[in-house]
Amino acid sequence: MRGLLDGYPRGPAYDEMFGADGLPHPHMRALYDALQTLTEEDLARRGAARDRSFRDQGVTFSHAGEEWVFPLDLIPRLIPAAEWEVVEAGVAQRVRALEAFLADVYGAGEVIRDGVVPRSLITTSAGFCRPAHGIRPPNGVRIHLAGIDLVRDQAGVLRVLEDNLRVPSGMSYVVENRRTMARVFPGLFLEQQVRPVASYPGRLLDALRRSAPAGVEQPTVVLLTPGVHNAAYFEHAFLARKMGIELVEGRDLFCREQVLYMRSIGGQQRVDVVYRRVNDDFFDPVHFRPESVVGCPGILNAARAGNVTIANAIGNGVADDKLTYTYVPELIEYYLGERPLLPNVTTFRLDDPDVRADCLARLDQLVIKPVEGSGGSGIVIGPHASDAELAAVRERVLGEPRAWIAQELVLLSTSPAQLGDQLLPRHIDLRPFAVNDGEEVRVLPGGLTRVALREGSLIVNSSQGGGSKDTWVLTSRPEQGPEADGPPAFPAQAVRGSVPDQGPHNDQPQQQQ
């Protein structure tokens, strides 16, 4: 019988299933053998079961005004324990350094005085938030949740592609992918020892509670969403449900005497921690866009007074600016006195005239990125671009050099993906999630592996036609009990600071997004 991986076409990229000798990597052998016993009909049947499960659970994302079932590829991505230890250490190191950088930028500014980064890096960054200067989070944490995007190059080296420190998304899909895969391929989990991911929401909730203002013993935590029209609304609702906290919109909150309250059936309830999924610009109309109706007027003043914690902190964008990314290796050495454990992709600062001239001379070999871009938008991949696209990006770079960086093309590693009744190589990346509770940066096992489902594409974002894979971190010590994969349960949070429903309401219509 012909196996599903017989005749698998190897390309020039590093492949996560097969080595250069054409044999499966040692940690992939068991999965390879299991896949070879499947028929095309088996794969189709499991694919149909996956689709039914996602539709029934409403696992969707919104794109161009339409709801789509989030694409989950049936073939998992496996990471051996020894390699995961490197990822854990490298991601945690990076988050610690960026935490120190943010505290410095919105505080003493020593990193500028010592010449590690130029002042212009901060003052010209769209992510720098002047109203956040001087705000000190109760436990010193500004990056409660980070998503650090990693890619593997042709030599097999894992590199950091970018940092996501504002409102990183994808955690819900990690949990849902695992739940679905455990149903679709139960036998594979019996053969492999895989670290669970069901504790993801619990870890985040614990970090949020620990970040509450001083003296609060039973903090009230809420998740602030822009509303049902937001592309990530499924995730907002999912995480609020799993953490057992209220999902609120801006119209549900109001401030009085620099204290934040939530309207509830029983009256007004004081709020101690806001896990926000609203961008900085729309978060507080007093300080940012006055026309915003998805935020809450005065909430930033309440944070400055120490009466509420905002997670992630306002102004984190200055640390995940793609130009700041080029300085992170120096920031790690400056703040931690350590060498970076995970290298960057080779990147060029186009605000330097000499560097810019060199890059413009070989645009067709480089990847050009807007420093404020997200979701794969605005990226020009030189070897795949037309002459017209290269000419257009050249003009944009010359017009505003600070707004762009250039990177050497990294041919992302490939992994087998289901395309119809075949398994074919497709490029992937990895977004591990790190949770900082003020005492420890915990890198949650696995993360979101994203896959570019279009042939030859290096853009893995779902908005650009990408999907995801379940990510299995292998271990010789399977976890039991509450850490094991299954439906987590958290106690309902105690009502604290409730007062009769009176006073100003700030009722406003919800902004459509």
Side-chain angles (χ1 to χ4, degrees):
M1 183 182 71
R2 178 181 172 84
L4 289 173
L5 287 166
D6 290 344
Y8 177 80
R10 284 288 312 281
Y14 181 97
D15 193 80
E16 302 284 342
M17 175 68 77
F18 296 102
D21 57 4
L23 300 175
H25 298 296
H27 68 281
M28 299 294 291
R29 186 76 221 190
L31 177 62
Y32 170 83
D33 290 341
L35 291 175
Q36 287 294 79
T37 66
L38 298 178
T39 65
E40 295 173 0
E41 291 74 20
D42 290 331
L43 203 62
R45 187 168 60 253
R46 285 173 166 82
R50 168 205 59 199
D51 294 343
R52 284 195 304 271
S53 177
F54 268 39
R55 281 195 299 269
D56 291 345
Q57 296 296 319
V59 184
T60 63
F61 72 100
S62 177
H63 175 56
E66 296 185 43
E67 286 291 317
W68 299 80
V69 173
F70 193 75
L72 168 64
D73 184 67
L74 285 179
I75 313 304
R77 190 248 187 96
L78 275 58
I79 301 177
E83 183 172 69
W84 184 251
E85 290 178 2
V86 176
V87 172
E88 271 188 312
V91 169
Q93 178 193 59
R94 200 168 181 99
V95 172
R96 290 198 308 272
L98 289 168
E99 279 278 16
F101 174 68
L102 285 167
D104 199 1
V105 165
Y106 292 111
E110 293 177 354
V111 69
I112 299 170
R113 288 202 300 269
D114 290 343
V116 180
V117 301
R119 183 176 298 276
S120 62
L121 173 71
I122 311 302
T123 58
T124 62
S125 173
F128 177 60
C129 177
R130 293 183 187 279
H133 193 276
I135 296 179
R136 297 181 179 179
N139 65 343
V141 176
R142 290 173 170 81
I143 309 170
H144 302 80
L145 177 66
I148 308 298
D149 291 349
L150 307 179
V151 296
R152 195 192 300 276
D153 65 18
Q154 287 174 267
V157 177
L158 284 170
R159 296 179 177 274
V160 178
L161 184 65
E162 63 180 51
D163 307 291
N164 298 278
L165 311 176
R166 284 172 271 192
V167 284
S169 63
M171 180 182 283
S172 63
Y173 299 116
V174 174
V175 179
E176 281 297 296
N177 285 355
R178 177 61 52 84
R179 183 192 63 80
T180 299
M181 286 292 290
R183 292 182 179 182
V184 173
F185 278 117
L188 289 182
F189 282 92
L190 297 177
E191 298 170 5
Q192 306 274 354
Q193 293 185 345
V194 183
R195 293 186 62 182
V197 299
S199 63
Y200 270 42
R203 295 292 190 192
L204 177 57
L205 178 61
D206 181 62
L208 295 173
R209 285 174 169 168
R210 288 171 180 259
S211 72
V216 178
E217 295 183 358
Q218 294 182 316
T220 296
V221 183
V222 301
L223 191 158
L224 176 62
T225 175
V228 296
H229 298 286
N230 185 267
Y233 184 75
F234 163 77
E235 173 156 282
H236 305 168
F238 175 92
L239 291 177
R241 184 174 70 251
K242 290 294 184 182
M243 290 190 285
I245 65 177
E246 293 290 340
L247 180 67
V248 300
E249 298 178 19
R251 59 188 174 180
D252 300 318
L253 303 174
F254 71 93
C255 290
R256 186 170 66 234
E257 296 179 354
Q258 297 186 333
V259 175
L260 182 66
Y261 293 96
M262 165 180 61
R263 297 183 185 88
S264 65
I265 295 175
Q268 298 170 358
Q269 180 179 348
R270 183 166 175 174
V271 174
D272 305 296
V273 182
V274 176
Y275 173 42
R276 55 117 181 179
R277 298 301 295 264
V278 173
N279 291 337
D280 289 12
D281 285 354
F282 296 95
F283 187 67
D284 186 339
V286 172
H287 292 279
F288 306 110
R289 295 193 181 191
E291 72 275 15
S292 172
V293 294
V294 298
C296 174
I299 190 172
L300 199 61
N301 291 339
R304 185 179 298 280
N307 294 325
V308 68
T309 300
I310 300 168
N312 282 350
I314 294 295
N316 279 9
V318 70
D320 67 14
D321 183 307
K322 290 182 177 63
L323 188 58
T324 302
Y325 160 91
T326 68
Y327 290 94
V328 173
E330 289 95 326
L331 297 178
I332 291 172
E333 295 190 29
Y334 176 70
Y335 289 113
L336 307 181
E338 301 171 359
R339 301 286 295 176
L341 298 174
L342 293 172
N344 278 9
V345 172
T346 302
T347 307
F348 306 100
R349 301 167 187 157
L350 297 181
D351 58 347
D352 181 308
D354 293 335
V355 173
R356 182 168 63 250
D358 177 70
C359 291
L360 291 177
R362 56 189 191 101
L363 271 184
D364 59 345
Q365 303 170 31
L366 301 172
V367 177
I368 311 300
K369 293 182 177 181
V371 298
E372 286 299 314
S374 63
S377 63
I379 295 177
V380 177
I381 301 176
H384 300 168
S386 66
D387 290 343
E389 289 171 325
L390 293 175
V393 78
R394 175 189 298 274
E395 291 303 312
R396 298 184 70 182
V397 168
L398 288 171
E400 195 177 0
R402 167 61 174 85
W404 301 85
I405 59 167
Q407 292 182 324
E408 295 288 358
L409 178 67
V410 176
L411 195 58
L412 279 59
S413 63
T414 55
S415 178
Q418 179 195 10
L419 282 304
D421 58 2
Q422 294 182 289
L423 297 184
L424 298 172
R426 291 295 184 265
H427 296 289
I428 60 173
D429 77 350
L430 174 65
R431 175 176 290 181
F433 292 97
V435 172
N436 188 357
D437 63 13
E439 296 181 1
E440 182 181 0
V441 177
R442 298 176 182 271
V443 181
L444 305 173
L448 184 66
T449 290
R450 300 180 297 178
V451 53
L453 294 174
R454 292 201 295 262
E455 184 176 3
S457 175
L458 297 173
I459 306 295
V460 298
N461 309 81
S462 57
S463 60
Q464 304 291 320
S468 70
K469 288 176 172 287
D470 192 10
T471 307
W472 296 4
V473 174
L474 304 180
T475 178
S476 58
R477 300 189 303 276
E479 298 168 68
Q480 305 294 332
E483 291 293 309
D485 282 323
F490 306 109
Q493 48 191 10
V495 176
R496 190 186 75 80
S498 294
V499 296
D501 191 4
Q502 59 188 10
H505 285 257
N506 298 323
D507 284 322
Q508 302 181 60
Q510 180 183 349
Q511 178 170 314
Q512 303 291 303
Q513 289 199 355

